[in-house]
Each structure stands twice: as structure tokens, then as C-alpha cells.
Amino acid sequence: MEKYFYKYLPIGIVLIALIFQYNLFVTPEKLEVKHREILSDVAHTYSTKEQYNDLKEQLCIMQAKIDKIYDVIIIEGGKK
């Protein structure tokens, strides 16, 4: 039994070294840091639904004002 242990011990040590070298297992601290980075990137790249709805409302208001200006120009042009 011990000779099998000593026979495969170098392979086990190499595997453990590779696991630590390539960070195959993530610690909770590293995972939390990566989570914060992802949240930050998403916040900078995408808008929230509330921001989208506010922008949509502002565009509707601007369109209504442009329609009023257009109507005034058409009515003024028709009177001449």
C-alpha cells in the first residue's frame, strides 16, 4: 500500500501545484471582487428601465413640441 502511495505522490504534488498555479478554484474574496467589477461594467454600459422610460417620455414631449411648431408654420403659411 505504501509503495503505491510513494509511486503516485509526485503526480499528486504536480496536480496540486497546477491547481494553485492556474487558480482553478476561486476564493470567495476573488469572486466578490469580480462580481463588483461586473456590476460596475454593466452600470456604465447599460441603462436602467427607469432611465429608459424617462428618456422615452422626454422624446415624446419634444416630438409634441415639434408637432406644435410644425402646425404653426403650416397654418401661418396657409394664411398668406
Side-chain angles (χ1 to χ4, degrees):
M1 178 74 177
E2 288 184 14
K3 70 178 179 180
Y4 289 118
F5 179 72
Y6 291 123
K7 182 178 179 181
Y8 294 112
L9 184 63
I11 295 172
I13 292 173
V14 168
L15 287 176
I16 292 172
L18 287 174
I19 287 172
F20 284 114
Q21 183 178 3
Y22 291 114
N23 292 326
L24 295 179
F25 296 106
V26 180
T27 61
E29 293 84 18
K30 289 181 182 178
L31 189 61
E32 182 65 29
V33 168
K34 192 64 171 175
H35 182 256
R36 296 290 176 196
E37 289 176 6
I38 291 171
L39 286 178
S40 175
D41 289 344
V42 167
H44 289 297
T45 305
Y46 300 103
S47 65
T48 63
K49 189 171 183 177
E50 291 82 18
Q51 291 172 337
Y52 171 76
N53 288 335
D54 289 342
L55 182 61
K56 188 175 175 183
E57 184 180 331
Q58 289 175 1
L59 288 174
C60 288
I61 291 169
M62 287 177 21
Q63 183 64 39
K65 289 179 181 179
I66 290 172
D67 288 342
K68 287 180 185 178
I69 292 171
Y70 182 75
D71 289 341
V72 168
I73 291 174
I74 294 296
I75 292 171
E76 293 289 325
K79 289 184 180 179
K80 291 183 180 180

